[in-house]
Amino acid sequence: MIKKRFDQVNRLIKDRLAFEKIKKNTPENTPKAVLVSIKHHTVYHRFFYLLLKFYKLSGYNVYYPMDFATFRNIRNKEKYLSLIIREDNFLIVNKKYKPESYIEITDEMFSPDYFSSYFEKGNNTTGVYHVPMSFHPLMYHHGIWNYKVDLNKKRINSIFCYGNFDSQAYLDIKRTEFSVVPRTELLSYFESKPEFLAFAGKPDMLKKIEEGSLERKYAFAIKEHFELPMEDVRETLSHFNFYLCCPGVVMPLCHNVIEAMSVGTIPLIQKEYSDVMYPNLTDRVNSIIFDDLEHLNVILQDIFEMPELEIAELRRNVLQYFQDNLTPESVIEHLNNSIKNKEMVYLQAEHRSVKFLR
């Protein structure tokens, strides 16, 4: 009991010191400003961090006036949400710095009911804006999201995939309204193919890339074998023509597809997954889309026979889609236009967004 009380007092003191420190943050010399008047930040967790981070990366001063209680609530909650407090020189919380001119974002502008357009409105997105999926939050936090990558290197004509394939966690999506093939089943499907290859570790992967032995393979970097370092993700993706998009835990969307598209690696993606990306991906324009495993089997028979000119065109379109829709600057531009036009903005809330489907 005494230790628990001591820990509580110790945390309170640390929080107070951190609050006093953040109150000293001052605006940068820019006329661009966003005022955050959102109280239900915990609904969106990591996606709220990403929203504010995109404003910051787009050259905005982010004003978020708050009291100590709100500060503590954010600082000690979900780890990605707390980054808005823990990153240096991110927020301006002191009320005395509130600017005269700003864009204001409020609770009423946003909804976590992200998939209502797909399930209830025939995927009609007129008059709404879906804030798109993005890289893993830590890529932005650590400043590695825009590492320079050579996009003109000769690519390996293979399908690459990486990530976690935990057999328990990634079956949760089967208990939702989505009908995508879970990533564990996709792994089992590809494992049965003679072209399947799972890297034993990073040295093994690099060796095979360098020696050119990966042509026409289904190459997997499975987290259970080794974890691909985050700073190496985009560089690794840039070696391959195609990327197999596996759905997330409870919804099709996952950050991996955005990381792949950022380097022009062409998504091989199930239709329902592509349909909840906004704007929707288009088959043979900026993606290769399959309906189900039977259709995927047909696609795999000739995917490696695609002419290089067609692959190059697809790659250009993928990169253009990324530039137009997925960079921090393009997201904020679209978001601000939607706010100006008083459109509803759908912001991901992961599990909470999926719960609306029930």
Side-chain angles (χ1 to χ4, degrees):
M1 186 66 180
I2 295 176
K3 183 180 183 304
K4 181 179 179 181
R5 180 60 180 162
F6 175 82
D7 290 341
Q8 289 173 338
V9 172
N10 189 45
R11 169 166 284 186
L12 177 62
I13 292 171
K14 288 182 177 180
D15 287 345
R16 173 55 71 177
L17 291 172
F19 186 55
E20 293 304 315
K21 179 182 178 182
I22 202 173
K23 282 166 63 177
K24 296 177 182 177
N25 286 354
T26 57
E28 295 180 16
N29 186 23
T30 173
K32 297 198 292 186
V34 59
L35 176 65
V36 183
S37 300
I38 291 179
K39 296 181 175 61
H40 303 305
H41 45 262
T42 56
V43 170
Y44 303 101
H45 286 322
R46 70 171 63 188
F47 298 101
F48 187 66
Y49 161 74
L50 289 164
L51 177 73
L52 300 193
K53 185 67 173 179
F54 277 22
Y55 269 111
K56 186 69 176 176
L57 291 171
S58 299
Y60 283 74
N61 283 317
V62 183
Y63 297 88
Y64 196 174
M66 65 179 68
D67 55 21
F68 182 52
T70 302
F71 176 84
R72 290 199 79 200
N73 177 266
I74 295 174
R75 178 174 160 85
N76 297 307
K77 289 290 184 178
E78 198 263 347
K79 64 179 181 178
Y80 298 125
L81 172 63
S82 73
L83 291 175
I84 66 173
I85 295 296
R86 297 180 181 277
E87 282 189 18
D88 291 337
N89 302 312
F90 189 162
L91 296 185
I92 301 165
V93 304
N94 198 321
K95 294 180 176 64
K96 72 178 184 180
Y97 294 121
K98 181 179 175 181
E100 292 183 3
S101 177
Y102 50 81
I103 293 171
E104 185 174 15
I105 56 176
T106 67
D107 287 294
E108 293 72 27
M109 295 174 177
F110 294 86
S111 169
D113 194 6
Y114 196 86
F115 301 107
S116 59
S117 296
Y118 180 73
F119 283 102
E120 300 169 17
K121 302 171 186 175
N123 227 11
N124 184 341
T125 57
T126 304
V128 303
Y129 176 60
H130 293 76
V131 178
M133 200 66 181
S134 52
F135 295 169
H136 191 284
L138 292 181
M139 281 194 160
Y140 303 103
H141 174 63
H142 293 306
I144 59 177
W145 67 278
N146 57 351
Y147 273 3
K148 188 171 179 59
V149 174
D150 179 11
L151 302 181
N152 297 314
K153 65 169 72 77
K154 180 173 172 54
R155 302 258 180 155
I156 302 167
N157 195 24
S158 288
I159 298 168
F160 178 65
C161 187
Y162 73 100
N164 188 333
F165 288 86
D166 181 85
S167 59
Q168 296 302 314
Y170 285 93
L171 287 179
D172 285 353
I173 199 167
K174 298 195 77 168
R175 292 186 280 273
T176 72
E177 298 297 313
F178 295 107
S179 57
V180 290
V181 181
R183 65 173 56 197
T184 48
E185 292 183 19
L186 283 170
L187 175 60
S188 296
Y189 169 84
F190 278 95
E191 279 180 325
S192 68
K193 306 288 184 181
E195 298 88 352
F196 176 81
L197 182 152
F199 298 113
K202 182 179 175 181
D204 175 52
M205 180 182 71
L206 293 176
K207 180 174 181 289
K208 285 182 167 59
I209 289 174
E210 290 170 3
E211 69 187 14
S213 62
L214 294 176
E215 289 290 320
R216 296 172 176 255
K217 298 290 185 184
Y218 310 142
F220 280 64
I222 300 171
K223 186 177 180 180
E224 287 73 15
H225 295 174
F226 84 102
E227 187 166 4
L228 185 62
M230 194 169 288
E231 61 270 22
D232 295 341
V233 164
R234 295 177 64 248
E235 174 63 34
T236 303
L237 282 161
S238 71
H239 285 281
F240 296 89
N241 273 342
F242 306 100
Y243 178 72
L244 173 67
C245 303
C246 295
V249 176
V250 294
M251 62 181 180
L253 295 168
C254 185
H255 58 88
N256 303 138
V257 63
I258 311 303
E259 293 151 11
M261 295 184 75
S262 76
V263 293
T265 301
I266 302 160
L268 174 60
I269 188 169
Q270 191 167 5
K271 187 176 189 305
E272 188 174 63
Y273 191 159
S274 69
D275 283 347
V276 293
M277 290 182 65
Y278 300 100
N280 300 150
L281 296 181
T282 305
D283 186 34
R284 302 285 168 161
V285 174
N286 48 31
S287 60
I288 305 293
I289 296 176
F290 63 93
D291 298 323
D292 49 30
L293 291 182
E294 184 176 349
H295 185 211
L296 178 59
N297 208 44
V298 173
I299 289 172
L300 293 180
Q301 291 176 23
D302 63 5
I303 193 170
F304 296 142
E305 306 301 329
M306 290 178 63
E308 183 53 42
L309 285 176
E310 183 178 353
I311 291 175
E313 179 66 19
L314 274 166
R315 184 177 303 130
R316 282 192 293 271
N317 292 340
V318 168
L319 287 168
Q320 193 63 57
Y321 180 103
F322 179 81
Q323 289 298 322
D324 291 346
N325 301 288
L326 302 175
T327 64
E329 293 84 358
S330 62
V331 170
I332 295 306
E333 181 180 354
H334 290 306
L335 175 59
N336 287 345
N337 286 335
S338 291
I339 292 171
K340 180 180 178 181
N341 296 328
K342 298 184 178 180
E343 297 177 338
M344 174 57 70
V345 177
Y346 289 112
L347 182 61
Q348 266 288 355
E350 203 162 19
H351 288 77
R352 289 174 177 84
S353 293
V354 173
K355 282 182 179 179
F356 277 96
L357 304 179
R358 302 171 186 169

